[in-house]
Amino acid sequence: MVSGKESDETIEKNIDTLILLQQGKWRKLDKIEKLQVMQTVANIEAYRLGLPHELYVQLGNLNGSLATYTDSSYTITLDEEHMMNADSFEVLRSVLHE
C-alpha cells in the first residue's frame, strides 16, 4: 500500500477532481489542471492495486507514443499533445494502461 495516504486515495474522496473528466469540463482545463487530474487517477489506482510505492505522472514529447511507464522511477509519461488534444477518456485509458 502507498503509505500514509490510504484514506485520501479513494474515488469517494476525490470525486470533485474526477468529475473534471467529463468532456465539457475537461476541454476547459489547462495543462497543469489536466495533469493534476491524471495524477489523482494514478494515485487512486496505486491505492486500489495495493502498490508499495507512489506513481508519478509527467508530460513529455513521445513522438508517436501516447504514454510510457518507467519502472525504475514509477513514472507515467503522457505525450503532451495527446493530453491536450484527446478527449479525457482517451487520456484516462492511456494512464490506466501504463
Side-chain angles (χ1 to χ4, degrees):
M1 298 273 171
V2 178
S3 63
K5 292 192 149 192
E6 289 88 343
S7 63
D8 293 336
E9 303 308 335
T10 64
I11 291 171
E12 296 79 17
K13 293 225 176 174
N14 290 283
I15 199 69
D16 290 341
T17 299
L18 297 176
I19 285 172
L20 297 174
L21 290 166
Q22 294 174 351
Q23 297 310 319
K25 296 179 187 297
W26 179 255
R27 279 187 228 108
K28 295 176 184 175
L29 299 178
D30 65 26
K31 176 172 52 175
I32 300 301
E33 292 167 326
K34 287 181 178 184
L35 188 60
Q36 289 171 336
V37 170
M38 289 303 142
Q39 181 64 62
T40 298
V41 167
N43 294 346
I44 292 167
E45 276 300 289
Y47 171 67
R48 290 174 52 94
L49 294 170
L51 298 181
H53 51 75
E54 294 184 55
L55 297 174
Y56 306 96
V57 181
Q58 67 180 14
L59 294 177
N61 182 357
L62 299 180
N63 298 317
S65 293
L66 302 179
T68 61
Y69 177 70
T70 305
D71 192 43
S72 62
S73 62
Y74 312 119
T75 302
I76 298 169
T77 302
L78 286 168
D79 182 72
E80 186 171 345
E81 185 176 329
H82 172 59
M83 190 184 73
M84 294 309 297
N85 297 316
D87 71 50
S88 63
F89 297 114
E90 289 179 40
V91 180
L92 178 63
R93 193 173 309 121
S94 297
V95 169
L96 296 176
H97 172 80
E98 297 306 325

